[in-house]
Amino acid sequence: MALKVLILGVNGFIGNHLTESILENEDWEVFGMDLGDDKIKGLLQNPRFHFVEGDITINYEWISYHIRKCDVVLPLVAIATPATYVTHPLRVFELDFEANLHIIRKVVQYKKRLIFPSTSEVYGMCQDKAFNEETSSLVVGPINKQRWIYSCSKQLIDRVVYAYGAQEELSYTLFRPFNFIGPKLDTINEQKEGSSRSIAQFISDILYRGEIKLVNGGTQHRCFTYISDGIDALVRIIRNQDGCASQRIFNIGNPTNDVSVKELAERVVALAQNYPKIADLAKKVKITPVSAEDYYGPSYQDASFRVPSIENAQKYLGWTPKVSLEEALRRTLDFYFA
Ligand code: UGA
């Protein structure tokens, strides 16, 4: 019998790329729910894809029925844009924590396999050179720095899932994406400043504003991971050969793609000059430092670096990321402008 995979948030950044890859390369069936279908339009005709438009906070019956029917559940619905952590912290808690906990409990009840997105943000301002899933401390700022509500919501879910594993034998995998990037991350056509994550924001800045703003000068570092590498890891987790992913937490990130945000902006601008559709705009764009307070408001606080240890993913999943930063940026720009 082909594996049945339930993906909530199937039209999201990870959900749509994962579904596309599964339908192309595996014989699994995918059942998916999302509020919209703009990113999965090309998949809707596939007989192994069963999509329903819906809201995870409302359509409990459909979800409950499908958790029972499927083998593996990936609840991927979450708010994951830092600007929203500081403007709507309660929405982040209600969706990322409360709504997902409800789903997790159903997965426990029906004794199904749970694959849940934790986040690189749980490590917060940890000072380890490379963050390790089993030994690194999770370090966040004071309560008035509301940016951390996302990190804390995810951390508490991680702890609850781990406890269900320990006390009730829940079969789970927690995965921690490290700044996944690629086509269809956040919309690049959003006119409002600060609503997208960095790379989508920078492309949108070139298109609409003529100015890229570097928060605190852009000296902070991230390890950007191309989406196809992330999906490769996720497919291995779903496949779970010989139980290799069960009861484990995996950092999924590319430690060799470690750059400052300033360098990221400069590279996006330089590359964009090769695409006739945006070359002129890219040549004119200004790169300006701004304070975090001016950009995000007073309740933002940042991690100055974030490097994953991927030893566990290499050892248990046989996974190593392959796509360089240059290639990741090129493929992203190709998608929009080639
Ligand atoms: C992201 C988000 O919280 C989640 O998507 C996710 O869980 C996690 O990290 C991840 O993907 O690993 P962050 O790393 O801050 O958070 O993501 P970005 O919004 O892409 O920002 C990266 C850096 O660029 C931050 O330091 C931010 O201050 C800076 N930035 C962002 C700018 O300098 N200018 C901008 O216009 C936008």
Side-chain angles (χ1 to χ4, degrees), residues 189-214:
N189 295 317
E190 181 60 72
Q191 306 283 339
K192 203 167 148 272
E193 176 189 281
S195 48
S196 303
R197 281 163 281 194
S198 50
I199 171 151
Q201 184 64 49
F202 296 163
I203 297 172
S204 148
D205 290 338
I206 295 172
L207 285 173
Y208 300 109
R209 279 170 288 275
E211 183 178 28
I212 288 177
K213 293 187 175 169
L214 294 179

Side-chain angles (χ1 to χ4, degrees), residues 37 96 248 316:
D37 63 3
D96 295 18
R248 293 213 160 90
Y316 296 109

Side-chain angles (χ1 to χ4, degrees), residues 6 8 33 55-65 67-68 73 75 77 93-110 114 116 153 156-157 160-161 164 170:
L6 174 61
L8 303 172
M33 175 180 273
D55 181 334
I56 64 154
T57 64
I58 296 170
N59 301 98
Y60 293 133
E61 244 171 76
W62 187 94
I63 292 174
S64 184
Y65 176 78
I67 291 175
R68 211 159 18 166
V73 182
V77 175
F93 174 73
E94 286 157 8
L95 187 67
D96 295 18
F97 184 82
E98 289 187 310
N100 277 289
L101 184 57
H102 188 79
I103 289 159
I104 288 167
R105 289 196 162 129
K106 280 277 166 226
V107 181
V108 174
Q109 184 187 340
Y110 294 130
L114 175 76
F116 194 82
S153 297
L156 189 53
I157 291 232
V160 170
V161 167
Y164 273 124
L170 169 69

Side-chain angles (χ1 to χ4, degrees), residues 80 82 85 119-121 147 150 177-180 197-198 201-202 213-215 220 222 261 295-296 300 302 306:
Y85 313 159
T119 169
S120 65
E121 291 241 340
R147 187 250 169 81
Y150 171 74
F178 278 64
N179 291 84
F180 284 8
R197 281 163 281 194
S198 50
Q201 184 64 49
F202 296 163
K213 293 187 175 169
L214 294 179
V215 174
Q220 62 280 37
R222 295 290 190 273
V261 173
Y295 193 84
Y296 287 109
Y300 181 80
D302 206 356
R306 176 188 284 171

Side-chain angles (χ1 to χ4, degrees), residues 242-300:
D242 304 318
C244 63
S246 285
Q247 320 277 102
R248 293 213 160 90
I249 307 178
F250 294 109
N251 291 336
I252 307 298
N254 190 331
T256 56
N257 286 350
D258 186 5
V259 278
S260 70
V261 173
K262 180 166 185 274
E263 193 184 336
L264 177 76
E266 287 166 353
R267 286 171 79 162
V268 170
V269 170
L271 262 179
Q273 297 184 15
N274 301 329
Y275 295 80
K277 285 182 192 158
I278 47 164
D280 288 345
L281 291 169
K283 278 175 199 145
K284 280 191 285 198
V285 75
K286 285 191 301 186
I287 301 185
T288 327
V290 292
S291 74
E293 177 147 3
D294 283 347
Y295 193 84
Y296 287 109
S299 63
Y300 181 80

